[in-house]
Amino acid sequence: MNEPALRVLIVDDEPLARQRLALLVRDVAETPGAPAALVVGEMSQAAAALAWMESHQADVLLLDIQMPGMDGAALASKLRSRAQAPAVVFVTAHAEHALQAFELEAADYLTKPVRRERLQAALERVARRRAADAAARASAAAKAPVVVVSERGRIVRVPLSEVLYLKAELKYVTLRTAERSYLLDDALSDIEQRLGERFLRVHRNAVVAKAAVRALERRPAGAGDGESDDGAETWAVRVAPVDEWLAVSRRQAAAVREALRAGGL
């Protein structure tokens, strides 16, 4: 198979059970036609596994249910709220937990002693889910609106969801994402018509993504190129996550303030 190996984390308070599962994962990985799999960690406590996943990644947990301290069900419940949670395969000697596993949307439920064939079937199920999810994300990305940028002889498609703001400067428009900036030849007014309701004009030379606005404040006039009543200060919006400020014109200040109050930004 050409798919990347499944990263497997084993969580069980019994050392012999962890050892057996690690051997079975290796056997499955060496079986022709079975999904590639690699044990990336072994934990004896659910709390330790949760801490490990703060800085490491796993695709699937082989998780015991009954353990001292936080049990496997509690760990699985905590992981459900994560954006990229690993699949959970419960491995337990107690068949009465099957209903709870179903409620926690576990990928599979294996009873000890685990047979290689059943583990292989569980990992195949996880691999199919992962492939389907990846295909769905790719399809969604392909359909998502983009801004097409011509840069140094190449064409770059910047997803509209990554655009933080666009600002007209001299003969060009700067398109800013969290990672970098691009220069566009198009007029800002022409681009604005294609952006939709997720963007708001804050100045004659700037359009900002509503979701990126974090604050509207009075700032020194030198901090932006906006207009000011007394030459000392002007309104500006703070754009996250780059923590940059864009000047807000007098004409647009009321609209930006109202959008903030209404929860529209």
Side-chain angles (χ1 to χ4, degrees):
M1 297 179 69
N2 294 325
E3 294 292 328
L6 290 172
R7 294 165 295 188
V8 181
L9 177 63
I10 299 173
V11 186
D12 196 308
D13 64 311
E14 299 178 3
L16 291 179
R18 296 196 303 272
Q19 182 181 13
R20 174 175 170 75
L21 285 173
L23 291 173
L24 288 175
V25 170
R26 186 182 64 185
D27 289 345
V28 169
E30 294 175 351
T31 301
L38 176 68
V39 175
V40 294
E42 298 181 24
M43 300 290 166
S44 61
Q45 296 180 338
L50 190 62
W52 182 89
M53 282 183 283
E54 292 298 329
S55 56
H56 301 79
Q57 290 186 327
D59 299 307
V60 55
L61 264 62
L62 299 182
L63 179 60
D64 191 14
I65 292 183
Q66 290 190 337
M67 292 183 290
M70 181 193 301
D71 64 16
L75 174 58
S77 180
K78 288 180 178 293
L79 293 176
R80 291 179 69 187
S81 62
R82 297 196 174 192
Q84 295 183 331
V88 172
V89 174
F90 282 118
V91 183
T92 178
H94 306 280
E96 65 269 20
H97 295 297
L99 178 59
Q100 186 178 24
F102 176 78
E103 293 173 345
L104 290 170
E105 299 178 351
D108 210 333
Y109 184 92
L110 308 181
T111 54
K112 298 176 181 179
V114 177
R115 293 181 296 110
R116 184 193 59 77
E117 294 79 6
R118 280 292 291 121
L119 178 60
Q120 179 175 331
L123 294 180
E124 287 174 346
R125 183 174 291 108
V126 172
R128 286 195 299 269
R129 284 189 184 181
R130 189 172 67 156
D133 290 344
R137 289 194 298 269
S139 177
K143 296 177 182 178
V146 298
V147 178
V148 179
V149 179
S150 179
E151 181 184 61
R152 298 177 183 177
R154 66 187 183 117
I155 302 299
V156 180
R157 292 165 57 88
V158 182
L160 199 60
S161 60
E162 296 181 7
V163 178
L164 302 178
Y165 67 79
L166 297 107
K167 184 177 180 181
E169 299 176 292
L170 300 177
K171 297 186 298 182
Y172 300 98
V173 171
T174 297
L175 182 155
R176 186 72 163 97
T177 70
E179 301 296 329
R180 56 164 299 180
S181 297
Y182 300 88
L183 292 181
L184 308 179
D185 292 328
D186 308 60
L188 182 60
S189 57
D190 293 338
I191 302 173
E192 183 183 13
Q193 295 178 7
R194 306 195 298 267
L195 296 179
E197 296 182 354
R198 288 185 290 180
F199 288 79
L200 177 71
R201 181 175 282 274
V202 296
H203 194 275
R204 66 175 179 272
N205 72 343
V207 176
V208 64
K210 294 179 178 180
V213 175
R214 291 296 180 269
L216 173 67
E217 297 180 13
R218 297 288 289 182
R219 300 275 292 174
D225 55 357
E227 304 159 10
S228 173
D229 292 335
D230 55 10
E233 291 186 332
T234 186
W235 287 104
V237 290
R238 181 166 63 88
V239 181
V242 292
D243 201 26
E244 297 178 8
W245 291 87
L246 292 179
V248 177
S249 66
R250 289 194 302 266
R251 178 179 300 178
Q252 297 300 125
V256 175
R257 188 182 301 110
E258 182 60 30
L260 279 168
R261 288 174 176 170
L265 293 183

